[in-house]
Amino acid sequence: AEASSVKMPYLILGLCILLVAIIFWFTHLPEVKGTTENEKGSSKSIFHAFRHAHLSWAVTAQFFYVGAQVCVFSFFLLYAPKAAGVSDTIAGRYLGYGCGFAFMVGRFVGTFLMKYIPPPRLLAIYAAINMALCAVAMFATGIPALVAVIGIAFFMSIMFPTIFSLGIKDLGTDTEYGSSLIIMSIVGGAILPPLFAWIADSTGNIQLGYSVPLICFAVILYFGWKGYRVQPTLKAA
């Protein structure tokens, strides 16, 4: 019955994706032509882009960010009843109206603050705050535990686009490959959640699984503190 209840939403979603694909198929998009310099740069191996130290850190930071995000959202419905003693229904409301709304508002607030605070510094501040909130989520109970997780959603809202933009800064001819590498690093969302689950299962305490996002935000903190800085590129082999 639960599986049947989601058939219609996925059918509608699939039809929408098919419609978009058909529109793109019949739309004549302009051909993208690069300069001679860009064409030379694009002919090199994708790993050539790793000569930029800040790109390497951006790929790493994005890997851990997406892993943290998936951990926070995916396990919330299991976390809330255990940590706060709320029902599954109430947990679902906290996830949608709490985490979802906090994430959206956080994006707008973060964008506004970037007018006055440099993006790397704001990224580091948000990461540090989320480390503290992860600690609260690990050891607090009741509503404070839920508020901590909702706060994590708020403060991680700016991280993906900020890491991406800082990572591709001044890449020159390596920009295309660099952006591809950062996007591919979202595989962290498939690798780190099983680690969260293993910790929760092996200890019998799902709250301790938040040690995984805590470590993830520590990596992001370093990227916003030092890792984002553009360094002289290493000579390619």
Side-chain angles (χ1 to χ4, degrees):
E2 292 179 354
S4 298
S5 66
V6 299
K7 286 182 179 179
M8 184 55 66
Y10 275 100
L11 177 61
I12 295 173
L13 179 62
L15 291 175
C16 291
I17 295 174
L18 179 61
L19 177 61
V20 172
I22 293 173
I23 292 174
F24 272 98
W25 179 267
F26 290 101
T27 301
H28 298 286
L29 298 175
E31 183 180 356
V32 178
K33 295 182 178 181
T35 62
T36 303
E37 183 183 5
N38 285 334
E39 290 171 353
K40 290 180 179 179
S42 63
S43 66
K44 296 179 180 178
S45 167
I46 190 170
F47 296 104
H48 178 265
F50 278 119
R51 64 197 179 110
H52 303 275
H54 72 288
L55 172 63
S56 300
W57 273 110
V59 171
T60 303
Q62 202 72 288
F63 174 92
F64 282 100
Y65 163 70
V66 177
Q69 184 193 66
V70 175
C71 286
V72 171
F73 286 142
S74 297
F75 292 101
F76 186 86
L77 294 179
L78 298 175
Y79 172 86
K82 297 285 186 180
V86 298
S87 66
D88 293 341
T89 303
I90 298 298
R93 291 175 183 173
Y94 271 108
L95 177 61
Y97 299 110
C99 291
F101 183 73
F103 191 89
M104 180 185 69
V105 173
R107 179 67 62 85
F108 287 108
V109 173
T111 302
F112 172 78
L113 291 177
M114 284 184 186
K115 296 180 180 179
Y116 309 98
I117 304 174
R121 184 179 302 174
L122 188 64
L123 178 66
I125 292 172
Y126 273 25
I129 293 173
N130 270 356
M131 289 176 65
L133 290 174
C134 283
V136 174
M138 290 172 64
F139 301 109
T141 57
I143 297 301
L146 294 183
V147 172
V149 177
I150 293 173
I152 292 172
F154 178 92
F155 288 107
M156 70 180 178
S157 60
I158 67 162
M159 291 185 176
F160 187 99
T162 306
I163 293 171
F164 184 89
S165 60
L166 293 174
I168 63 173
K169 182 180 179 181
D170 295 338
L171 290 186
T173 57
D174 294 318
T175 300
E176 292 182 3
Y177 280 148
S179 59
S180 299
L181 288 167
I182 296 176
I183 294 300
M184 286 191 292
S185 66
I186 64 174
V187 70
I191 295 176
L192 296 180
L195 178 58
F196 185 111
W198 178 80
I199 293 174
D201 291 339
S202 62
T203 62
N205 186 351
I206 192 172
Q207 291 184 251
L208 295 181
Y210 271 84
S211 58
V212 175
L214 190 153
I215 295 173
C216 293
F217 291 124
V219 175
I220 298 169
L221 170 61
Y222 181 82
F223 175 74
W225 177 37
K226 285 186 176 181
Y228 76 94
R229 296 175 182 173
V230 178
Q231 304 290 339
T233 57
L234 301 174
K235 292 183 179 181

